[in-house]
Amino acid sequence: MKEWWVQVGLLSVPLLAVYLHIPPPKLSPALLSWRSSGGYFTYKDQNIFYRDSTGAVGSSDIVVLLHGFPTSSYDWCKIWEGLTQRFHRVIALDFVGFGFSDKPRPHRYSIFEQASIVEGLVRHLGLHHQRINLLSHDYGDTVAQELLHRSLQSLMLCLLFVEAVCGRCRFHLIAQACIAPRAISRLCSTSRQRPLRNNRFLFSILQYINQRKKHRDRWVGALMSTSVPLHLIYGPLDPVNPHPEFLQLYKKVLPMSTVSVLDDHISHYPQLEDPTGFLNAYLNFINSF
């Protein structure tokens, strides 16, 4: 028996060494195109990838898209063209640690930092005095909630500034997971990191689950206190936010929010699973004002 384990060990070591030296997979043509159509800005020595498309003529509306875990801004690829037909500017970024943005290690990843990065991008693009619509998903929902909390804090300090900048923002939440958080167990699809070499990296990224629990009052409180229009797009087959419990809780906690429920077979990524239905639901909400 002892000799058997020795043989297994001797065989495993070279196999593991080979695995760890396998070069990362090549990017697909679609991802290469996505990256080439974007750019980078610097936030505290970190290179942050973003896309910024000019769209509809005659519209001044701007939408910023906040992606989920464990993916990237590419989550919005199927509705990007549709959004450019409605909005003057369509902007998306890869949060630090995701997609084509830097993945510093060691690093204390936090929702607060991601929110500051979004604010930094808005300033970088010279849009900090413009009205901005936020369209968020999963992890990005919590970032949107932190941004909403900050706008509420600013409202108490400087009413005129917020009325001009944030007072009419519209937050559009997809599968709001802060109320009923669940974890997803894989790295972002555009990351070029290897799982066995990145246990600490993954653990650091996943701290957002604990942050949601710790700061629940802050972030759910921001939703409950705001007069900003809220809307939820929901896929009933979502395993992260199961039906009907999640929808019942959401409506109870946020009765002022409107809701769009998609077809029964739509799950956690409605913008990818049903881009037409999703886009119609979103534009109906936006066009109702």
Side-chain angles (χ1 to χ4, degrees):
M1 183 66 67
K2 183 177 181 180
E3 292 181 356
W4 181 81
W5 280 108
V6 171
Q7 292 174 358
V8 170
L10 291 174
L11 179 62
S12 299
V13 170
L15 288 177
L16 180 60
V18 170
Y19 172 78
L20 293 177
H21 287 85
I22 294 175
K26 294 182 179 180
L27 296 177
S28 68
L31 282 173
L32 287 171
S33 175
W34 187 264
R35 185 175 64 180
S36 66
S37 62
Y40 292 84
F41 83 103
T42 302
Y43 176 84
K44 294 185 177 179
D45 298 325
Q46 299 165 1
N47 293 316
I48 305 298
F49 175 82
Y50 71 96
R51 286 193 67 186
D52 177 14
S53 294
T54 302
V57 177
S59 172
S60 60
D61 288 347
I62 301 165
V63 61
V64 174
L65 315 176
L66 307 179
H67 69 82
F69 176 93
T71 48
S72 69
S73 59
Y74 191 67
D75 281 357
W76 308 107
C77 63
K78 290 188 177 182
I79 63 168
W80 193 269
E81 183 177 354
L83 290 173
T84 61
Q85 295 175 12
R86 169 59 179 80
F87 291 93
H88 175 60
R89 299 276 289 276
V90 181
I91 300 163
L93 77 160
D94 290 348
F95 293 125
V96 64
F98 295 80
F100 296 123
S101 292
D102 282 353
K103 302 169 182 64
R105 294 175 294 168
H107 188 75
R108 291 180 176 270
Y109 291 92
S110 75
I111 294 297
F112 300 101
E113 178 187 38
Q114 306 289 20
S116 295
I117 289 173
V118 175
E119 291 178 328
L121 175 60
V122 169
R123 289 193 299 270
H124 172 75
L125 297 176
L127 301 175
H128 48 292
H129 293 303
Q130 303 294 318
R131 185 181 73 177
I132 292 176
N133 301 283
L134 287 181
L135 175 56
S136 62
H137 175 230
D138 187 79
Y139 182 96
D141 289 347
T142 313
V143 178
Q145 287 171 260
E146 171 58 21
L147 292 167
L148 179 57
H149 174 82
R150 295 181 186 187
S151 75
L152 292 174
Q153 297 300 101
S154 299
L155 181 61
M156 291 185 288
L157 296 173
C158 187
L159 178 62
L160 294 178
F161 178 81
V162 174
E163 182 62 24
V165 180
C166 302
R168 295 178 295 164
C169 289
R170 291 170 285 203
F171 284 77
H172 193 81
L173 310 177
I174 313 169
Q176 172 46 260
C178 183
I179 298 174
R182 301 286 181 87
I184 302 176
S185 60
R186 61 186 180 89
L187 286 170
C188 55
S189 60
T190 55
S191 172
R192 295 174 68 83
Q193 309 291 341
R194 300 187 186 93
L196 290 181
R197 299 174 65 181
N198 289 277
N199 289 336
R200 291 183 181 179
F201 170 73
L202 180 57
F203 176 79
S204 181
I205 289 284
L206 283 171
Q207 286 304 301
Y208 81 92
I209 299 293
N210 293 329
Q211 292 167 23
R212 279 176 169 175
K213 295 176 182 178
K214 181 178 180 180
H215 302 290
R216 183 184 186 279
D217 290 345
R218 175 188 179 97
W219 290 331
V220 177
L223 293 173
M224 297 174 67
S225 302
T226 188
S227 59
V228 170
L230 303 172
H231 189 74
L232 168 74
I233 292 180
Y234 181 65
L237 202 60
D238 188 348
V240 179
N241 302 289
H243 185 271
E245 293 83 5
F246 169 77
L247 201 55
Q248 292 170 350
L249 178 59
Y250 183 88
K251 291 179 177 180
K252 180 180 179 180
V253 175
L254 300 172
M256 68 290 196
S257 174
T258 53
V259 176
S260 295
V261 179
L262 301 179
D263 292 343
D264 290 344
H265 66 282
I266 304 303
S267 182
H268 189 64
Y269 283 85
Q271 72 274 39
L272 294 173
E273 299 171 50
D274 183 14
T276 299
F278 174 86
L279 189 61
N280 288 338
Y282 180 53
L283 294 183
N284 285 340
F285 166 68
I286 289 295
N287 293 333
S288 65
F289 297 94

